[in-house]
Amino acid sequence: SSRVVTGTVGQRPQLPRGGTTIDLNTSRVAPSDGWVPKEPTAAAVGNTVVYTSNDLISFSVDGGHTFHSVDPRSMYRDNPAGGPDGDQDVIYVPQINRFVWLVQYFPGSSGANIDRLAVFPPSAVTASGLSFWTYWDISHSMLPSTDIFFDFPDLAFGNRYLYLTQNPSHGGHPTQTFIARIGLSNLKNGLNLAAGPEAWRFILGSTFFGKVVQNTGSVAYWASNSSTSTMAASYWPESS
């Protein structure tokens, strides 16, 4: 089971007896990518840790004591749009025993970018990096959106679906939000995201949505400000 722990800078968080201590001292994640802030995300299962920042993905098989860092641009034969750079996100989904890793790309000459969504099991993580993975590209052409640059991604999951939140932007400012629901079985089996029985669906709106709450089971929840004094809570049952 996963546990949330807190600690002060320079101290190792202490888990209840029987837990696994994961060391996420980022000075162990080398080389530095030079971005400030680094906007890190991390996911772990057992002693396997995956850590991302704006330019790097880093892997550990010893609970975070040592990391092997990789530039995502070196991992693919192609670098569409403006190449991988900027926001990343990684989570571990126990229902399918997979890490899910999203890399946001810089815009190309048209101003459009993509999200590259990859999945891999813990067994693919080695002391020297990542041995295999499966990936999909998500672009504005898959959505009825007039804005072609995606920004501020987020990932969450329920019982049967991964939830990907993105904000199509214009002129550097988010003007829309979509929440895409992607079948976990599609990800595990390397299927087209539009294939049944859990074909992807999405909600696209002209307001700035909140991000989907983590580990929501059979219903996805999110909240957003509808005014300076009012918050709207929304939900999306996985059965609908």
Side-chain angles (χ1 to χ4, degrees), residues 37-91:
K38 297 182 184 301
E39 299 182 306
T41 65
V45 57
N47 283 323
T48 302
V49 186
V50 182
Y51 170 95
T52 71
S53 59
N54 274 320
D55 264 357
L56 299 174
I57 183 168
S58 304
F59 306 98
S60 174
V61 293
D62 57 8
H65 293 285
T66 60
F67 281 92
H68 178 77
S69 298
V70 182
D71 183 340
R73 285 170 288 195
S74 69
M75 298 175 64
Y76 294 97
R77 294 181 179 178
D78 67 333
N79 283 308
D85 239 333
D87 296 339
Q88 298 190 49
D89 200 358
V90 64
I91 59 174

Side-chain angles (χ1 to χ4, degrees), residues 92-98 157-160 184 188 215 217:
Y92 172 73
V93 183
Q95 287 91 324
I96 56 173
N97 189 33
R98 295 292 189 277
F157 63 86
N159 289 343
R160 294 165 46 202
L184 294 179
K188 180 179 181 179
N215 305 318

Side-chain angles (χ1 to χ4, degrees), residues 29-154:
V29 184
S32 170
D33 60 16
W35 283 73
V36 178
K38 297 182 184 301
E39 299 182 306
T41 65
V45 57
N47 283 323
T48 302
V49 186
V50 182
Y51 170 95
T52 71
S53 59
N54 274 320
D55 264 357
L56 299 174
I57 183 168
S58 304
F59 306 98
S60 174
V61 293
D62 57 8
H65 293 285
T66 60
F67 281 92
H68 178 77
S69 298
V70 182
D71 183 340
R73 285 170 288 195
S74 69
M75 298 175 64
Y76 294 97
R77 294 181 179 178
D78 67 333
N79 283 308
D85 239 333
D87 296 339
Q88 298 190 49
D89 200 358
V90 64
I91 59 174
Y92 172 73
V93 183
Q95 287 91 324
I96 56 173
N97 189 33
R98 295 292 189 277
F99 287 97
V100 181
W101 170 40
L102 182 147
V103 181
Q104 179 179 298
Y105 277 54
F106 274 170
S109 57
S110 69
N113 70 339
I114 66 166
D115 285 337
R116 185 158 278 184
L117 188 70
V119 299
F120 51 90
S123 60
V125 179
T126 70
S128 58
L130 190 61
S131 59
F132 63 92
W133 62 97
T134 304
Y135 71 93
W136 297 258
D137 287 341
I138 298 174
S139 71
H140 75 280
S141 63
M142 301 168 68
L143 302 163
S145 173
T146 57
D147 295 320
I148 59 177
F149 180 77
F150 295 160
D151 207 359
F152 307 113
D154 191 63

Side-chain angles (χ1 to χ4, degrees), residues 169-190:
S169 302
H170 180 75
H173 302 285
T175 58
Q176 297 178 302
T177 294
F178 73 82
I179 298 175
R181 182 172 89 173
I182 300 171
L184 294 179
S185 60
N186 293 59
L187 297 176
K188 180 179 181 179
N189 297 314

